[in-house]
Amino acid sequence: MSRLNVPTPEEVPAGAQRILDNVGAQLGFVPNMFKTIASNPTVLEVVTSLQATLSRVLDAKTRHSIALAVSQANGCSYCLAMHTHVATEFSGMPRDDIELGRIGSSVDPRRAAAARFAQRVVDSRGQVSDAELAAVRGAGYTDPQILAIVALAVQFLLTNFIKNVNQTDLDIPAVGPVDTAVAQ
């Protein structure tokens, strides 16, 4: 059960309603996460603006792999369910690649390097080793792209923390535990 107040449609501040309408138009429904954040229009604007801006960096499947890796690292069941849904429905990612993303990998070696690096950024609180930085560079990522990976990790960290604090009620199918055998 959500621990923060979820405003009723009548309680949603005017500035937030426009944003919720845009989210609903994009996804086909307004997820509980956004409904909760709508109680603070400024935070809602920050989250949605950050998402919109960072949707222009890297390709969609790489962003989804990073989202899954970060959400798994943070134990955010809501985010794992939502990112699984979005990756499947909007990017056509196959189930095995979604599972790999959760463990910081991918069917694509370059995307695997980005997911693994993002997961290490989160796990190490940004204190990545020289070898980890060299590995993501070795996969072909430039310094501007590495900055994008870090920014995406922080974006997902922000929403993971909001959802974990709130214990946001799932409004989409839950995902089960990650199958670590997929990495074998």
Side-chain angles (χ1 to χ4, degrees), residues 3-4 33-34 37 47 50-51 63-84 102 118-119 122-123 152-168:
R3 300 190 306 176
L4 300 175
M33 175 194 93
F34 292 104
I37 299 173
V47 168
L50 185 61
Q51 289 175 333
R63 291 191 314 269
H64 292 312
S65 294
I66 291 168
L68 291 160
V70 170
S71 297
Q72 183 70 40
N74 287 311
C76 185
S77 59
Y78 186 95
C79 299
L80 287 168
M82 184 58 69
H83 292 301
T84 296
R102 290 178 62 184
Q119 203 168 51
V122 170
D123 289 343
L152 285 162
V154 171
Q155 171 197 321
F156 299 124
L157 188 68
L158 169 64
T159 54
N160 289 173
F161 281 14
I162 289 171
K163 290 173 231 168
N164 282 345
V165 165
N166 184 40
Q167 296 179 358
T168 305

Side-chain angles (χ1 to χ4, degrees), residues 5-21 30-32 34-36 38-39 41 44:
N5 179 46
V6 179
T8 65
E10 298 78 30
E11 296 171 330
V12 172
Q17 189 58 57
R18 175 188 51 79
I19 296 171
L20 291 180
D21 291 343
V30 179
N32 284 339
F34 292 104
K35 290 177 185 176
T36 301
S39 68
L44 181 62

